[in-house]
Amino acid sequence: MAEAHQAVAFQFTVTPEGVDFRLSREVLKHIYLSGIRSWKKRLIRIKNGIIRGVYPGSPTSWLVVVMATVGSSYYNLDISMGLVYYIQRWLPEGRPSRTPYTRRLFSMAIFSTGVWMMGIFFFRQTLKLLLSYHGWMFEMHGQTSHLTRVWAVCVRLLSSRRPMLYSFQTSLPKLPVPSVPATVHRYLESVEHLLDDEQYYRMETLAKEFEEKTAPRLQKYLVLKSWWATNYVSDWWEEYVYLRGRNPLMVNSNYYVMDLVLVKNTDVQAARLGNAVHAMITYRRKLDREEIKPVMALGLVPMCSWQMERMFNTTRIPGKDTDVLQHLPDSRHVAVYHKGRFFKVWLYEGSRLLKPRDLEMQFQRILDDPSPPQPGEERLAALTAGGRVEWAQARQAFFGSGKNKAALDAIERAAFFVALDEESHHYDPEDEASLSLYGKALLHGNCYNRWFDKSFTLISFKNGQLGLNTEHAWADAPIIGHLWEFVLGTDSFHLGYTETGHCLGKPNPVLPPPQRLKWDIPEQCQAVIESSYQVAKALADDVELYCFQFLPFGKGLIKKCRTSPDAFVQIALQLAHFRDRGKFCLTYEASMTRMFREGRTETVRSCTRESTAFVQAMVQGHHLNKDLQHLFRKAAEKHQNMYRLAMTGAGIDRHLFCLYVVSKYLGVESPFLAEVLSEPWRLSTSQIAQFQIRMFDPNKYPKHLGAGGGFGPVADDGYGVSYMIAGEDTIFFHVSSKFSSSETNAQRFGNQIRQALLDIANLFQVPKADG
């Protein structure tokens, strides 16, 4: 029990001679080093706060201003126009400014600091004004206006100094509140072709009544919120769309991310995990120190980095009415699940981050541990996969004190959760089903080997393949994608492995082994766990997931068609869905609003009048290619314009959602808003971001491709589709549906997507690769 003795810093014994203290020098040393590390982090945060707070200024620029002011005085030049003399008059005559010369120096320093701070404020406001310009997004490629060129030069000048991660946060503009008439007009335009004349007339009447009677009052409150809050959408979106949801997180909310699928670095499970965990904690350290470069659109326009703050040390805590996100400033361990047992693995030895080889050794110790699960322990995580109310009640009843509270704290206060699976999964191009099985394992596992409440679960399969299952409330997919790109690039190109597949270096065998978490789970709690497991298993068994790699072409051919790759795929999805279901439906495509402070997402309603016209012409089969090309280009241009409007704050759905929230607060009934917010999204789609950070040259290493990730269907009788245009020659698709729906079939729809892509490409008669 060496680890138990090291858990206390001192022991004492009462003897006739008095109290005999026995100190543990090793533990005291670790406590001392831990304190040093904590103070270092505090000092780094203070320093970063100062540097970030004066961006685009710097301490050096302050010194230049002071020197210019002092230097000018030697040539009898008063650049302050009398202000230095005025400040000097108000300085006290006692110490430390008892001489006129000292008082003059103080007054010049005060004046210089004031000028410097005013300059920073002016530059920040100018940058915010410049970043509010979005005309560049609506200009055709290669047709940049003179105004946009001048704008780009000004933005580059004001942001030329090397920024830290959060340097631009205060310079980002606020998300604007669209006008009600504009939003209502765009909404009606988005549904007109989906409704018959009678349905559309009814909706138009409701919309007109809402616009004239109810909306003005709601809009005033929303505008007031936009003035006061940093972002008028994000807090309500997080609370009402995510945290107040009472359905299981598994499948319904959480999503998954896949590993590199065409290359393999090692088959050793513990080694791959050692490198990955080390890379993640290295990323967290860079995040804490703000050393990560902000994501920049076109290398020029900064994206909001706010969501990254809660990437690590974050857990969703269940509640009866609403969940809360618990975020800690730091965590020195990860929680690990293997064969029904939970472990706590320390990431540091004193103040030093464990090396990959040490982490490999720790994970291998868990894999070699023969101890059986404690009663109720094996399926404990099913509580996080079932209903939120049941989990909240069980947490309050059975995990509020004693062993269970301490063990649960170890999980919820971990940096992240690690699942060591006994199964092997990978993508075999010769076996298409292997990719779908891999996706299913990441989406829900066996319903009790993922902790679905953690910000993310790192999943390690027996053959060294990795993946993520990510909780959605704290951030959107591009944020976890940024981390994952760093991890995969660091693992492949910076850390590496020995010839036998182990991490580089030698392990430290004296490290205390991982700590087994102790539970005391009564039979009543075990019954709740079993009930949650049955709910989760039924949900998991109902999910059909079809993942495939589309090989004939990628963005290389699409660009030859002179259209955006995203518009190309979205129109193909409309054609595939019409062929599959024989009708059009409301379609959701996620776009980002991160050009605004604390922006998250907006909906692009990608089933437009123009795309339906193209699809109908394609299905009729008697139109000339020239006419079809014209219809396709109109549909693509419309889609791109809708996407740009969504990104620039002129979307439809977030505005209507916030008006609905205000109406509920005020107790105002709106038939129009109630109907809009209840409309089902039977086709929910999302493009997966890639190459946000350049860890390697994709042209030099074309096989280093991830397959993206996916999510469950939003509607019971609908499809969920995510796709990643992974390179010049390939696209990965993840299609989900439910077996319980007689109207949907994920594999059938996937095959329709394949055919639709080929048919559209044939319109432009561009040669394609085989496959």
Side-chain angles (χ1 to χ4, degrees), residues 665-709:
Y665 278 130
L666 297 176
V668 176
E669 293 298 323
S670 169
F672 171 72
L673 289 177
E675 190 150 336
V676 170
L677 271 293
S678 64
E679 292 170 341
W681 300 99
R682 290 192 171 89
L683 181 56
S684 181
T685 70
S686 179
Q687 182 182 182
I688 302 160
Q690 59 170 333
F691 301 132
Q692 297 181 79
I693 46 178
R694 291 283 177 172
M695 295 294 294
F696 60 91
D697 184 356
N699 296 319
K700 189 175 179 181
Y701 301 97
K703 294 291 184 182
H704 283 71
L705 289 176

Side-chain angles (χ1 to χ4, degrees), residues 81-212:
M81 301 178 67
L83 284 176
V84 169
Y85 175 73
Y86 182 78
I87 295 169
Q88 186 177 351
R89 285 175 53 197
W90 285 95
L91 285 178
E93 297 184 2
R95 291 186 179 183
S97 54
R98 57 185 174 184
T99 67
Y101 180 73
T102 306
R103 293 171 64 201
R104 184 166 179 79
L105 284 178
F106 271 127
S107 60
M108 285 190 286
I110 293 170
F111 167 78
S112 301
T113 302
V115 170
W116 179 68
M117 292 178 68
M118 287 177 61
I120 290 170
F121 178 79
F122 171 77
F123 284 129
R124 276 191 176 180
Q125 294 305 310
T126 303
L127 184 58
K128 181 181 285 191
L129 186 64
L130 289 169
L131 294 177
S132 300
Y133 169 73
H134 300 122
W136 59 274
M137 290 193 65
F138 296 88
E139 294 177 350
M140 297 295 292
H141 183 69
Q143 298 180 13
T144 307
S145 67
H146 292 297
L147 175 63
T148 297
R149 288 174 182 169
V150 172
W151 166 83
V153 171
C154 293
V155 171
R156 200 173 294 279
L157 285 173
L158 288 175
S159 58
S160 58
R161 194 171 73 80
R162 189 176 67 178
M164 302 176 73
L165 178 61
Y166 302 121
S167 291
F168 293 112
Q169 290 300 101
T170 55
S171 297
L172 293 174
K174 287 187 175 185
L175 183 68
V177 181
S179 70
V180 171
T183 298
V184 169
H185 172 75
R186 284 193 289 266
Y187 168 77
L188 291 173
E189 184 184 20
S190 74
V191 298
E192 183 178 7
H193 51 284
L194 301 174
L195 305 173
D196 59 33
D197 291 343
E198 184 179 343
Q199 291 172 327
Y200 180 75
Y201 175 75
R202 175 178 170 275
M203 184 56 72
E204 189 178 36
T205 303
L206 289 175
K208 187 176 181 180
E209 181 184 1
F210 168 76
E211 183 181 337
E212 293 176 352

